[in-house]
Amino acid sequence: MSQGIREFTAIVERDGVHQPVLDAQNGEELMHVQPGVSIVLGSHPPESPGTLYISTKQVVWLSDTNRTKGYAVDFLSISLHAVSRDPEAYTSPCIYAQIETGADEDESEGSDEECNGVLVLSKITEMRLVPSDPNQLDSLFDVFCECAELNPEPIEDNEEEEHNWIFSADQLEDEATGDDSEPSIAIGQSNGDHDLARTVLELQINDQRFEDAEEMEHEADSARH
């Protein structure tokens, strides 16, 4: 389930540098570190520059001025990412990302991003990452693409069943004979769609009858000549 952007507090100091704590036990690895990056959440002004950490699971931004401040978003919550250089879209070149929050559309659209002056991260659906050097955008985008490929959208069971309607020859024969025994699955599963299986079988039978009729007509013509 999409979690959206969240505060990140798992920070440790190593050699005088604050770094995120990654979930190494579950295979999370650090892929890229980019200093001098500002983060823009929703319609809010940019945060002061910080350091961007991109891992195989998530994007983490840590403030350089406030050592306890950080944000993170999982790649599974990023529905779109792109390089934006259009000044009409945003004043500075940046990486633009759309965020899935897991909330209902009506709820997210009808709610403000702030509550009593406090940023509500669960309502943030857009994020911009603005590097101090715009020439870094393409390399950042490549890392985003690589890590996004490592986190494909999970396929729900019902989605697999909806598209799983390819039949093997054995299954078609069993559907026609009414055999109740469970057929071996050579190509796919019918998912209980007996009508579709019967329709495919009838088309197959009709094709065979058409071929037989053509063969008989050809034999009759040969006999007359």
Side-chain angles (χ1 to χ4, degrees):
M1 181 179 177
S2 302
Q3 297 181 1
I5 298 176
R6 63 188 186 279
E7 289 186 354
F8 190 87
T9 57
I11 303 171
V12 64
E13 183 176 346
R14 294 191 180 96
D15 299 326
V17 179
H18 285 70
Q19 300 176 5
V21 178
L22 304 181
D23 189 5
Q25 291 185 346
N26 289 319
E28 184 179 11
E29 299 178 6
L30 185 62
M31 299 290 286
H32 188 78
V33 179
Q34 188 69 58
V37 178
S38 298
I39 188 171
V40 183
L41 301 179
S43 58
H44 292 264
E47 300 273 358
S48 57
T51 303
L52 188 68
Y53 298 86
I54 303 177
S55 79
T56 52
K57 301 287 187 182
Q58 60 184 335
V59 177
V60 178
W61 178 88
L62 300 182
S63 172
D64 288 342
T65 56
N66 185 347
R67 297 301 181 89
T68 63
K69 188 174 188 177
Y71 302 110
V73 58
D74 294 335
F75 275 102
L76 287 175
S77 295
I78 300 177
S79 59
L80 179 148
H81 65 274
V83 173
S84 174
R85 292 188 174 94
D86 184 359
E88 294 185 2
Y90 192 71
T91 54
S92 302
C94 61
I95 296 289
Y96 170 80
Q98 288 184 356
I99 309 299
E100 295 287 343
T101 64
D104 294 335
E105 278 190 25
D106 294 339
E107 181 182 347
S108 59
E109 289 179 0
S111 302
D112 294 331
E113 295 175 354
E114 273 194 12
C115 180
N116 297 325
V118 178
L119 186 64
V120 181
L121 294 179
S122 61
K123 308 303 180 186
I124 299 296
T125 58
E126 293 181 323
M127 176 183 71
R128 289 177 173 87
L129 299 169
V130 187
S132 56
D133 182 3
N135 294 324
Q136 299 166 341
L137 281 176
D138 289 335
S139 60
L140 277 177
F141 179 77
D142 290 341
V143 177
F144 261 74
C145 291
E146 181 181 355
C147 294
E149 290 178 358
L150 297 175
N151 296 271
E153 188 71 23
I155 300 176
E156 301 291 340
D157 291 339
N158 58 349
E159 290 182 6
E160 290 183 344
E161 292 174 356
E162 286 176 2
H163 297 88
N164 197 3
W165 50 271
I166 302 174
F167 305 95
S168 67
D170 292 340
Q171 284 178 287
L172 293 172
E173 291 177 3
D174 291 336
E175 291 286 352
T177 58
D179 188 359
D180 293 333
S181 61
E182 187 171 342
S184 59
I185 302 173
I187 301 178
Q189 297 180 358
S190 67
N191 191 29
D193 195 340
H194 303 288
D195 292 337
L196 180 58
R198 191 173 301 280
T199 300
V200 175
L201 180 62
E202 288 173 355
L203 290 173
Q204 185 184 56
I205 293 174
N206 289 336
D207 288 343
Q208 292 173 348
R209 289 174 179 171
F210 182 74
E211 292 172 0
D212 293 342
E214 277 191 335
E215 185 177 349
M216 292 175 65
E217 183 178 351
H218 178 70
E219 290 177 354
D221 289 341
S222 300
R224 283 197 296 269
H225 290 82

